[in-house]
Amino acid sequence: MSRAVFQRVTRLFQGGGISRIARRVKEQKLTYLSSAKIRRLEQCLRSIERESVPGMIVEAGVAMGGSAILLAAQMGEARQFRGYDVFGCIPAPSERDDEKSRQRFDVIQTGQAKGLGTQPYYGYVKNLYEQVQDNFATFGLSVDGRRISLFRGLFEETMLFAPESRVALAHIDCDWHDPVQLCLERLYPVWSAGGFWVIDDYNDYGGCRQAVDEFLKGHGNVRRISDDTSLVLQRAQ
């Protein structure tokens, strides 16, 4: 990526609001993301479209589908969207995660986690996969398995890419060390130059931060663009 392109990307991250569809997603309580985090995602999406970065859009950690919907609705016609999730309660953290992560998981597994507004916590919804499909349909989007696909199961079993695949934008929102680490390992070989990773939990959970920091030590061609909300990384070459 040239210095001129890098400067344009940097300017893009200096302001702006969220889209109308993002506001609808928040009004319908389909995402836990703050407006600031949504703004970062949409800035990355606009950048890959403006710079014609090749590849699909991937989300690891779909939850109720809010951020997936706003990405799929606004991506270019030639792109594909793939969303990955267990579509149920999140798996347990490992010994590489911090105490905050373990405490959060204890709240979830004991049935004490709160949803948005009057809704139940999404991990307790038994037909979550079908509900997310319905949420897409509400916005005029069909989960057809071609342009828009949802993969249900553990990432190590579902997040598989052909060698010739390309990913322009990945939203990594899976909380703990091990799933974040797996996403980085699976996505890097197919990550397009100029493309972005938006790592939601970098500033929230220690295991996520550790996995990313360890990855960055071995990849000097990855730039930090922003970390004031989510961490945004861009592949330089």
Side-chain angles (χ1 to χ4, degrees):
M1 181 177 58
S2 70
R3 182 174 181 81
V5 171
F6 180 72
Q7 289 173 338
R8 288 201 298 273
V9 169
T10 303
R11 287 194 296 272
L12 182 66
F13 277 70
Q14 292 175 347
I18 64 174
S19 67
R20 180 178 300 178
I21 192 167
R23 291 194 295 272
R24 285 181 59 202
V25 162
K26 286 184 68 66
E27 288 167 0
Q28 294 187 29
K29 295 181 172 53
L30 297 181
T31 182
Y32 286 78
L33 296 184
S34 66
S35 293
K37 287 188 173 186
I38 290 174
R39 182 164 55 249
R40 282 287 178 261
L41 262 183
E42 294 193 314
Q43 287 167 334
C44 291
L45 180 61
R46 288 197 296 272
S47 180
I48 64 168
E49 296 296 348
R50 181 177 301 172
E51 303 296 334
S52 299
V53 178
M56 69 183 77
I57 295 173
V58 168
E59 182 168 75
V62 175
M64 295 171 292
S67 53
I69 288 167
L70 67 89
L71 289 171
Q74 298 179 93
M75 67 183 182
E77 287 296 323
R79 295 196 193 274
Q80 294 179 328
F81 174 87
R82 293 186 183 182
Y84 298 85
D85 203 300
V86 294
F87 293 100
C89 275
I90 188 172
S94 72
E95 68 280 358
R96 296 185 178 184
D97 288 292
D98 59 5
E99 183 61 26
K100 180 181 178 182
S101 303
R102 288 187 283 274
Q103 290 176 353
R104 174 58 180 164
F105 183 70
D106 285 344
V107 170
I108 293 171
Q109 70 172 347
T110 55
Q112 300 177 69
K114 303 297 183 184
L116 294 172
T118 60
Q119 297 176 354
Y121 173 66
Y122 70 90
Y124 304 152
V125 177
K126 296 194 180 298
N127 63 335
L128 181 60
Y129 181 81
E130 290 76 17
Q131 183 61 60
V132 171
Q133 289 182 307
D134 290 344
N135 292 340
F136 270 83
T138 298
F139 284 79
L141 300 170
S142 173
V143 181
D144 58 9
R146 296 184 298 277
R147 188 163 187 261
I148 299 175
S149 302
L150 297 176
F151 296 86
R152 177 166 44 183
L154 298 174
F155 295 156
E156 53 264 39
E157 299 170 356
T158 61
M159 190 175 285
L160 306 171
F161 299 102
E164 67 273 13
S165 297
R166 290 294 176 265
V167 173
L169 171 60
H171 181 213
I172 301 173
D173 186 4
C174 45
D175 300 1
W176 318 142
H177 177 282
D178 291 357
V180 170
Q181 182 185 59
L182 185 141
C183 288
L184 304 184
E185 292 173 349
R186 295 282 174 92
L187 287 164
Y188 182 77
V190 294
W191 190 10
S192 294
F196 295 99
W197 287 349
V198 181
I199 303 175
D200 180 75
D201 300 297
Y202 183 79
N203 295 314
D204 298 314
Y205 295 116
C208 174
R209 179 182 289 267
Q210 179 185 341
V212 175
D213 289 347
E214 289 171 347
F215 172 85
L216 290 175
K217 288 178 183 177
H219 297 84
N221 63 334
V222 179
R223 291 188 172 115
R224 286 175 179 255
I225 301 298
S226 172
D227 61 6
D228 57 341
T229 55
S230 307
L231 174 66
V232 180
L233 304 175
Q234 186 176 40
R235 181 163 184 165
Q237 60 181 23

